[in-house]
Amino acid sequence: MRENIHPAYPTAKVHCACGATWETRSTHGDLHLDICSNCHPFFTGKQKLIDTQGRIDRFKKKYANAPATPPKKKAAAKREAAAAKREAAAKPKKKKEAAKA
Protein backbone atom coordinates (compact mmCIF):
# COMPACT_ATOMS: atom_id res chain seq x y z
CA MET A 1 0.00 0.00 0.00
CA ARG A 2 1.07 3.57 -0.60
CA GLU A 3 2.20 5.59 2.37
CA ASN A 4 1.32 9.20 3.28
CA ILE A 5 -1.77 9.43 1.04
CA HIS A 6 -4.35 10.01 3.81
CA PRO A 7 -5.10 13.50 5.14
CA ALA A 8 -4.41 14.51 8.72
CA TYR A 9 -7.28 13.65 11.07
CA PRO A 10 -6.78 15.86 14.14
CA THR A 11 -9.15 16.57 17.01
CA ALA A 12 -11.69 19.31 16.21
CA LYS A 13 -14.12 21.27 18.38
CA VAL A 14 -17.75 21.51 17.28
CA HIS A 15 -19.66 24.66 18.31
CA CYS A 16 -23.45 24.99 17.95
CA ALA A 17 -25.46 28.22 17.91
CA CYS A 18 -27.26 27.04 21.08
CA GLY A 19 -23.95 27.03 22.96
CA ALA A 20 -23.27 23.30 23.00
CA THR A 21 -19.69 22.24 22.27
CA TRP A 22 -18.00 18.86 21.96
CA GLU A 23 -14.89 17.34 20.51
CA THR A 24 -14.62 15.02 17.55
CA ARG A 25 -12.15 14.40 14.77
CA SER A 26 -12.22 16.09 11.39
CA THR A 27 -10.02 16.80 8.40
CA HIS A 28 -11.44 20.34 8.20
CA GLY A 29 -10.66 21.62 11.69
CA ASP A 30 -13.20 23.34 13.96
CA LEU A 31 -16.88 23.19 12.98
CA HIS A 32 -19.60 25.79 13.63
CA LEU A 33 -23.19 24.52 13.43
CA ASP A 34 -26.54 26.33 13.34
CA ILE A 35 -28.45 23.47 14.96
CA CYS A 36 -27.50 20.25 16.74
CA SER A 37 -29.19 17.34 18.50
CA ASN A 38 -29.39 19.39 21.73
CA CYS A 39 -31.59 22.07 20.16
CA HIS A 40 -33.23 20.39 17.13
CA PRO A 41 -37.04 20.01 17.57
CA PHE A 42 -36.93 16.38 16.43
CA PHE A 43 -34.70 15.42 19.36
CA THR A 44 -36.04 17.86 21.97
CA GLY A 45 -39.76 17.53 21.21
CA LYS A 46 -40.15 21.32 21.38
CA GLN A 47 -41.01 23.68 18.53
CA LYS A 48 -38.47 26.48 18.36
CA LEU A 49 -38.30 29.09 15.63
CA ILE A 50 -34.77 30.06 14.69
CA ASP A 51 -34.85 33.46 13.05
CA THR A 52 -31.26 34.53 12.60
CA GLN A 53 -31.81 37.29 10.06
CA GLY A 54 -35.27 38.64 10.95
CA ARG A 55 -37.00 36.86 8.06
CA ILE A 56 -40.13 36.02 10.05
CA ASP A 57 -40.51 39.62 11.23
CA ARG A 58 -40.03 40.94 7.69
CA PHE A 59 -42.66 38.51 6.37
CA LYS A 60 -45.18 39.48 9.06
CA LYS A 61 -44.53 43.19 8.48
CA LYS A 62 -44.88 42.83 4.72
CA TYR A 63 -48.20 40.96 4.83
CA ALA A 64 -49.72 42.49 8.00
CA ASN A 65 -52.07 44.82 6.10
CA ALA A 66 -52.66 42.61 3.06
CA PRO A 67 -56.35 42.23 2.15
CA ALA A 68 -57.95 38.81 2.38
CA THR A 69 -57.81 36.99 -0.92
CA PRO A 70 -61.13 36.38 -2.66
CA PRO A 71 -62.08 32.77 -3.48
CA LYS A 72 -60.50 31.48 -6.62
CA LYS A 73 -62.63 31.55 -9.76
CA LYS A 74 -61.61 28.05 -10.83
CA ALA A 75 -62.80 26.52 -7.58
CA ALA A 76 -66.16 28.31 -7.82
CA ALA A 77 -66.58 27.23 -11.45
CA LYS A 78 -65.84 23.60 -10.52
CA ARG A 79 -68.41 23.70 -7.72
CA GLU A 80 -71.07 25.11 -10.07
CA ALA A 81 -70.29 22.49 -12.73
CA ALA A 82 -70.51 19.69 -10.17
CA ALA A 83 -73.85 21.00 -8.90
CA ALA A 84 -75.18 21.21 -12.47
CA LYS A 85 -74.07 17.61 -13.11
CA ARG A 86 -75.84 16.42 -9.98
CA GLU A 87 -79.05 18.21 -10.99
CA ALA A 88 -78.87 16.84 -14.53
CA ALA A 89 -78.32 13.32 -13.24
CA ALA A 90 -81.26 13.60 -10.83
CA LYS A 91 -83.81 14.85 -13.43
CA PRO A 92 -83.79 11.83 -15.81
CA LYS A 93 -84.40 9.46 -12.87
CA LYS A 94 -87.63 11.28 -12.06
CA LYS A 95 -88.83 10.96 -15.66
CA LYS A 96 -88.11 7.23 -15.72
CA GLU A 97 -89.96 6.74 -12.44
CA ALA A 98 -92.96 8.67 -13.81
CA ALA A 99 -92.99 6.51 -16.97
CA LYS A 100 -93.00 3.29 -14.92
CA ALA A 101 -95.96 4.35 -12.78
Side-chain angles (χ1 to χ4, degrees):
M1 291 178 44
R2 292 174 50 189
E3 294 180 12
N4 300 324
I5 61 169
H6 297 290
Y9 197 54
T11 303
K13 284 203 174 223
V14 180
H15 305 278
C16 180
C18 71
T21 59
W22 62 93
E23 286 189 8
T24 186
R25 294 176 56 138
S26 172
T27 58
H28 295 287
D30 290 350
L31 301 170
H32 299 278
L33 305 175
D34 293 330
I35 196 160
C36 67
S37 62
N38 293 331
C39 58
H40 193 280
F42 180 81
F43 298 106
T44 61
K46 298 176 186 175
Q47 181 64 31
K48 186 194 290 187
L49 294 175
I50 297 175
D51 187 19
T52 57
Q53 297 176 354
R55 291 181 181 169
I56 295 172
D57 293 333
R58 281 188 285 149
F59 179 84
K60 287 181 180 178
K61 183 179 175 183
K62 182 177 181 179
Y63 293 104
N65 298 324
T69 57
K72 295 183 179 180
K73 294 179 182 178
K74 288 182 180 180
K78 283 183 180 180
R79 277 187 262 134
E80 290 176 12
K85 270 188 177 179
R86 278 187 254 127
E87 289 177 16
K91 286 182 182 177
K93 288 182 182 177
K94 290 180 182 176
K95 289 181 183 178
K96 287 181 183 177
E97 290 174 6
K100 288 181 182 178

